[in-house]
Amino acid sequence: MDLLQIGTTGHNHLLAAAQKSFRLAEKAETAQDASKAIGAGARLFCMAWTEFPLNGPLAGELVRLSQIIPAFQKLLTPEAVRLAGAVAQKMRGEGDPEMQELFVSGDVEAMSARMEKGLKGRNPLSIVQQAMTFQGVLSRWDWLESFLTRLVVPMEPDIATFLLAGVHVSNGRFAQAVALYEELLLRFAVPGMRYRLATALAGAGDKERSLALLGDVLTDFPEHTSALLFMDSLVFPAKRATRLDGKCVVSIYSYNKAEALARTLDSVLASDLSDTVGDVRIRVLINGSEDDSLRVAEAAKERFNGHMDVVSLPVNIGAPAARNWLLDAARKDGAQWITYLDDDVLVPSDWLLGLASGTEEFPQAGVWGCRVMDATSPTLIQHGDGFLLGQEDAKSRGYAVVMQEPLTECAMPSQFGYRRHAASVTGCCHLFKVETLIRHRGFDLLYSPSQFDDLDLDLRLLRAGTPAAYLGDVAIRHLRVSDYVREPSQAAVRQGENHRAVLEGRHAEHLDILLRTQAAFVTADIDAKRTRLQEAGVLPITISENLSTCASA
């Protein structure tokens, strides 16, 4: 499985794939193979720049390489090279070091005021880069629109337009984004822009033009996995017509999160738990909480009309043990399904219907999961479809077992409503067959009190030939602040490293098997989607020229 099958979005992911293609070109046995690898690497390099235009060193490399390598000359117009040169020249110098401190402290107003003032300094584009990064993480797209329009357009109109187009997509202003990307394509035509225009067109309701453009993108670059998945989600939207066969227990365990638990239970109560979904019951385990969690759960119980159980334990037994306790309770109930839900999430009305439909679409899966969004930053994706990196790529990160989620780099969630097989999905909200969990002995207590127990189980299931199913159309909102914003405690860091050592000790020796199983399911899924799009007449039949240019992940 190559890096492109994982995805073709995410600035850092695309850079890694590009660099790998260039390394393969150096090792190629024939001039033709070297040329293909360089061509793929050049395209991926350009796509990475489109995702983050203010990467000054990357922009400078694009200018340099466009002068000496034909593959870059083919992809970059003179206007695009000029724009990259302007970014490279004007991005020299550091940004404001105090901006990071204000961001971490949460003083957004002071940070914003400092950004506006900083544009009058010597390195204004460095301040713009900080603004795009920090304000983007916070989903403050209205502020960024105003900032760019008022202060950056008069100073750097071309660069500002490039940035504004992406901001409009993230902000849901798709018609404005369409107008800007059409202008950008006429002038610069950098690889990656057409995919973003297709995203904007779909958001604006012009599905026909979006599909036509995606077809062009995939004709030029058949290995654009993200474009293929997005196209498939437009043509074959997920259904909501499957009923879970047998009883399902929605299981929540909670420790000292009374306020978040109340909001979680409110959202579950407001969702569809009717007979349309199946025979659904709620069970809440109060895991030694010392706050008002038990009172919150008992109050909610009255509103669930007898379909909710509350159990309180005198001590916190940790996440793996709590999950196993809930699993045993579901087994004793005669349940066929168990859904684990964190105590700090907000679910949409059709969340369980969405998960249920996934069991029909991906019957070979061992776990069905969703896309996790940040509750306070609406376009920030915390988790999605996770994939194992190969040994070489994992080693470059300093570990033996590494999961990659390229979509977490992107602030355009409308691109990720697809469904596919993956190696792992998040533990915030996932559905299992009770029998599957019992057969695999549930969650391992070695990961107590928490961290990595859900990933460990996903990898054990994958090794047994049952991958995860990512259902991106089911999007929940996580009340916990994202890791981009919060600083983990030293205790949490040490615990995470200890648990990672346990994870790697268990799975590193089986990495080859895990990668082969992952590749088999992911490749089959991509091939099936490509075939049905071709049969539907929306995707031309093409012969891939670049498939072998990225080594196994």
Side-chain angles (χ1 to χ4, degrees), residues 211 214-215 218-223 227-229 231-232 235-236 524-544:
L211 291 176
L214 288 168
L218 287 162
T219 298
D220 287 349
F221 190 36
E223 290 74 41
L228 180 76
L229 293 169
M231 185 183 216
D232 186 78
V235 179
F236 303 102
D525 182 63
I526 290 173
D527 290 345
K529 285 179 168 58
R530 192 184 304 275
T531 297
R532 74 177 182 177
L533 287 168
Q534 289 170 343
E535 291 175 347
V538 295
L539 181 63
I541 297 175
T542 58
I543 299 175
S544 171

Side-chain angles (χ1 to χ4, degrees), residues 346-362:
L346 305 177
V347 297
S349 61
D350 61 350
W351 70 284
L352 198 50
L353 272 171
L355 292 179
S357 67
T359 65
E360 181 178 34
E361 189 171 349
F362 298 96

Side-chain angles (χ1 to χ4, degrees), residues 419-431:
R419 295 181 162 199
R420 70 184 305 198
H421 276 128
S424 181
V425 288
T426 180
C428 290
C429 172
H430 48 182
L431 172 68

Side-chain angles (χ1 to χ4, degrees), residues 503-553:
L503 184 85
E504 295 195 339
R506 171 172 291 165
H507 297 289
E509 63 179 308
H510 306 298
L511 188 59
D512 286 346
I513 296 172
L514 291 167
L515 288 168
R516 284 198 300 270
T517 305
Q518 173 181 264
F521 278 100
V522 171
T523 301
D525 182 63
I526 290 173
D527 290 345
K529 285 179 168 58
R530 192 184 304 275
T531 297
R532 74 177 182 177
L533 287 168
Q534 289 170 343
E535 291 175 347
V538 295
L539 181 63
I541 297 175
T542 58
I543 299 175
S544 171
E545 294 186 353
N546 298 314
L547 193 57
S548 62
T549 58
C550 285
S552 297

Side-chain angles (χ1 to χ4, degrees), residues 238-441:
K239 299 177 181 178
R240 293 286 192 278
T242 302
R243 185 181 188 276
L244 289 173
D245 183 18
K247 182 182 290 186
C248 175
V249 183
V250 176
S251 301
I252 303 169
Y253 57 93
S254 184
Y255 175 67
N256 282 352
K257 290 184 182 176
E259 183 179 347
L261 177 62
R263 295 182 66 184
T264 299
L265 291 173
D266 284 345
S267 74
V268 172
L269 181 64
S271 69
D272 187 354
L273 303 174
S274 67
D275 190 61
T276 304
V277 184
D279 181 5
V280 182
R281 189 168 189 83
I282 313 297
R283 179 169 284 121
V284 178
L285 175 65
I286 303 302
N287 203 6
S289 296
E290 299 169 347
D291 61 2
D292 288 336
S293 296
L294 180 58
R295 183 189 60 78
V296 166
E298 291 287 1
K301 180 179 178 180
E302 299 178 6
R303 298 156 59 199
F304 277 92
N305 298 321
H307 294 286
M308 176 175 165
D309 297 326
V310 178
V311 179
S312 180
L313 299 181
V315 295
N316 181 359
I317 61 174
R323 284 171 164 165
N324 288 342
W325 191 96
L326 290 163
L327 171 63
D328 188 60
R331 178 188 62 81
K332 291 175 179 176
D333 285 347
Q336 283 73 49
W337 303 91
I338 183 168
T339 301
Y340 289 103
L341 197 63
D342 275 6
D343 59 354
D344 56 357
V345 299
L346 305 177
V347 297
S349 61
D350 61 350
W351 70 284
L352 198 50
L353 272 171
L355 292 179
S357 67
T359 65
E360 181 178 34
E361 189 171 349
F362 298 96
Q364 293 174 291
V367 54
W368 296 264
C370 62
R371 174 163 48 98
V372 180
M373 307 299 297
D374 190 294
T376 58
S377 181
T379 56
L380 187 61
I381 303 174
Q382 292 186 355
H383 292 288
D385 44 343
F387 300 91
L388 283 165
L389 291 181
Q391 186 176 12
E392 178 187 338
D393 296 308
K395 186 177 180 180
S396 69
R397 308 283 184 89
Y399 297 105
V401 177
V402 174
M403 299 300 300
Q404 182 88 324
E405 294 179 289
L407 80 173
T408 60
E409 293 190 57
C410 306
M412 296 183 180
S414 61
Q415 293 179 339
F416 305 106
Y418 53 77
R419 295 181 162 199
R420 70 184 305 198
H421 276 128
S424 181
V425 288
T426 180
C428 290
C429 172
H430 48 182
L431 172 68
F432 298 89
K433 287 183 178 179
V434 169
E435 184 273 332
T436 297
L437 284 184
I438 291 173
R439 188 170 71 250
H440 290 275
R441 299 185 178 183

Side-chain angles (χ1 to χ4, degrees), residues 49 52-64 66-67 76-93 122-126 128-129 152 155-163 187-188 190:
W49 185 53
F52 190 37
L54 293 181
N55 184 332
L58 175 59
E61 275 296 284
L62 288 175
V63 173
R64 184 182 72 84
S66 70
Q67 296 170 350
L76 292 170
T77 65
E79 277 285 278
V81 174
R82 181 194 62 76
L83 181 61
V87 172
Q89 180 182 11
K90 296 174 182 179
M91 277 299 300
R92 293 172 182 168
R122 288 182 298 174
N123 301 309
L125 275 195
S126 297
V128 176
Q129 182 190 60
V152 185
M155 180 175 62
E156 299 288 348
D158 291 341
I159 296 171
T161 300
F162 204 162
L163 299 174
R187 295 188 58 199
F188 305 110
V190 181

